Amino acid sequence: MAPGAVLATRTVDRPGLDPLGYDLAVIVPTFNEAANVAPLVMALDVALMGLRYEILFVDDWSRDGTPERIAELAADRADIRVIRRFDRRGLSSAVIEGMMATMAPVVAVIDADGQHDERLMPRLFALVRDGSADVAIGSRYCSAGSTGEWSRARVACSRAATRLSQLVLSAPVADPMSGFFAIRRDRVEALLPRLSGRGFKILFDLLTSSPEPLRAVELPFEFRARTAGESKLGTGVVLDYIVTIADRLIERVLPPRLVMFGGVGALGLGVHLAVLRGMLGLSGAGFDEAQTVAVIAAIAFNFAINNMITFRDRRLKGWRLLTGLATFYTVCGLGALANVGIGALLFAEHHRWWVSGVAGALVGSLWNFLASTLVTWRKR
Ligand code: GDD
Ligand code: MN
């Protein structure tokens, strides 16, 4: 091969290889799908002909004979497996565990009940394998897609949920709730620690937990009617979903670092009061001196804890501890001025005393956070 050719292939970011030789793992979550698993496997075998794939069922202790039926199918095939979980339910967590149990570079998810058009899967797979997408989604809302024979109410609900989801999605995806998609396994692994794993919106979970938007491509398909058995998605699932969105929204508005900074500040208030009390009681110092010492101690305490926890990734060491402490004192001093200033301003405008006080404290703390992020613990 010409050297240039090697270079050219390297520049395309493709998923790696499976030591076992599979190109694709198809993850099938099941709960009471006994009548559906054999037809599904047959359909997948036809659709995926020519590909090296394994089929991995993740069953949550179905009592209708589902695992037994899968075991029959797997009897003479190494490429069919079932993972059984006891005392647990959850579509998302089942899918995640299935994805972790394979070394195939691309993983796909499909419902067991025949509602997803498996004939689309080779194209979903190809998009991800070729590096054209991180995730390829079988979508019910793309121009040509359809929701099949869904009831009007369910279509409306589903559309409302999708619109809500756009609040927290960094890149627009027409059907972020789809349970039918293919994704690079390395992307999933990178996101594992951030996944909520709650509920059944696994794709949504993946999309919203990625710091950089995943490159998504959507292909339309017609959502078919269930072959047998019944849907498992009830009202609990809706509640779950709302909690997930709220979670992500709060995370967006209140970054974890800010929450931590606030928590440390509250502890600092405790330190302040303890020192104040101690100084007043022990040495019989006047209030002004005691208050001054308490402020100095509390700020030093905040600095130490924030340096250890809140900004542990930017931790200051050695002589930088001293310059850092100095800038932190300056920042907090200005924050206190802002605190008093805003409070006084509001109070003068006839706002209640406690509204003025709280507003001043909030502005001061926010200033402390922003300024110390930019100065004391600035990125190097
Ligand atoms: N292991 C496991 N554990 N599997 C489950 C569980 C569970 O707790 N709950 C459901 N499943 C399996 C079902 O057996 C089925 O194979 C698949 O997950 C989807 O469940 P359904 O009950 O058929 O869901 P649906 O058809 O109402 O919902 C579909 O559309 C949603 C979008 O509206 C699914 O594709 C969802 O993923 C999708 O979000
Ligand atoms: Mn279904």
Side-chain angles (χ1 to χ4, degrees):
M1 197 192 292
V6 174
L7 265 183
T9 57
R10 287 245 171 99
T11 53
V12 182
D13 179 23
R14 288 209 181 87
L17 292 176
D18 177 3
L20 290 178
Y22 293 119
D23 299 322
L24 168 69
V26 180
I27 314 294
V28 190
T30 55
F31 185 70
N32 293 344
E33 303 283 3
N36 291 327
V37 290
L40 176 75
V41 167
M42 243 191 329
L44 284 173
D45 283 342
V46 173
L48 300 178
M49 203 170 309
L51 291 177
R52 293 173 299 182
Y53 59 94
E54 63 174 338
I55 305 177
L56 239 136
F57 290 91
V58 186
D59 184 79
D60 280 350
W61 213 253
S62 300
R63 300 286 76 202
D64 71 337
T66 304
E68 290 77 6
R69 303 302 295 275
I70 299 170
E72 285 164 26
L73 295 165
D76 54 353
R77 290 177 62 166
D79 58 351
I80 298 182
R81 288 191 278 150
V82 57
I83 297 171
R84 304 171 73 194
R85 310 195 305 171
F86 177 65
D87 210 15
R88 272 200 284 165
R89 279 292 307 276
L91 182 44
S92 280
S93 61
V95 167
I96 293 169
E97 279 170 49
M99 288 174 168
M100 287 167 60
T102 177
M103 293 305 283
V106 180
V107 289
V109 186
I110 190 168
D111 284 2
D113 56 12
Q115 292 193 277
H116 295 153
D117 190 344
E118 69 288 336
R119 291 170 301 177
L120 195 66
M121 194 176 281
R123 286 169 61 207
L124 296 177
F125 164 72
L127 282 167
V128 177
R129 181 206 45 207
D130 298 345
S132 325
D134 293 324
V135 53
I137 305 166
S139 170
R140 298 160 297 170
Y141 291 126
C142 288
S143 40
S146 121
T147 42
E149 299 163 4
W150 270 14
S151 74
R152 216 170 249 227
R154 173 143 191 199
V155 172
C157 272
S158 176
R159 275 184 203 272
T162 303
R163 205 156 306 142
L164 197 60
S165 75
Q166 307 293 356
L167 281 177
V168 285
L169 283 172
S170 33
V173 169
D175 191 6
M177 314 295 166
S178 177
F180 185 31
F181 61 94
I183 187 169
R184 289 169 64 133
R185 189 174 48 81
D186 57 355
R187 295 287 185 270
V188 177
E189 281 181 19
L191 296 178
L192 276 178
R194 310 168 130 252
L195 295 178
S196 89
R198 198 187 312 112
F200 68 105
K201 303 298 188 189
I202 174 63
L203 176 63
F204 182 72
D205 202 3
L206 287 163
L207 290 172
T208 54
S209 54
S210 180
E212 306 109 46
L214 292 171
R215 290 175 308 132
V217 174
E218 292 178 85
L219 299 179
F221 79 99
E222 180 164 358
F223 201 67
R224 299 188 289 225
R226 222 172 205 288
T227 321
E230 54 195 36
S231 170
K232 280 91 203 171
L233 306 187
T235 35
V237 159
V238 175
L239 209 67
D240 246 25
Y241 173 62
I242 292 171
V243 171
T244 307
I245 295 216
D247 231 38
R248 296 289 188 212
L249 270 179
I250 291 168
E251 209 176 79
R252 180 114 0 133
V253 180
L254 291 177
R257 223 198 273 275
L258 175 56
V259 173
M260 233 180 269
F261 193 85
V264 173
L267 283 181
L269 184 60
V271 170
H272 179 114
L273 293 177
V275 172
L276 188 60
R277 175 85 185 75
M279 288 282 295
L280 289 174
L282 290 179
S283 58
F287 184 82
D288 288 2
E289 293 99 323
Q291 173 79 337
T292 308
V293 173
V295 166
I296 292 175
I299 294 181
F301 169 84
N302 274 27
F303 175 77
I305 305 295
N306 280 323
N307 192 48
M308 242 176 342
I309 301 172
T310 317
F311 296 97
R312 62 188 173 285
D313 55 327
R314 305 181 192 175
R315 188 176 293 168
L316 304 172
K317 291 184 191 127
W319 65 270
R320 281 196 197 281
L321 267 176
L322 287 182
T323 54
L325 184 60
T327 60
F328 194 64
Y329 270 119
T330 313
V331 164
C332 292
L334 294 173
L337 283 182
N339 184 340
V340 172
I342 298 280
L345 196 77
L346 290 183
F347 191 67
E349 285 180 4
H350 308 293
H351 288 278
R352 288 173 195 280
W353 63 268
W354 59 269
V355 173
S356 313
V358 168
L362 279 182
V363 171
S365 313
L366 207 57
W367 156 266
N368 286 353
F369 175 71
L370 292 174
S372 65
T373 304
L374 293 175
V375 179
T376 309
W377 287 285
R378 69 178 173 278
K379 267 193 199 142
R380 278 171 224 287

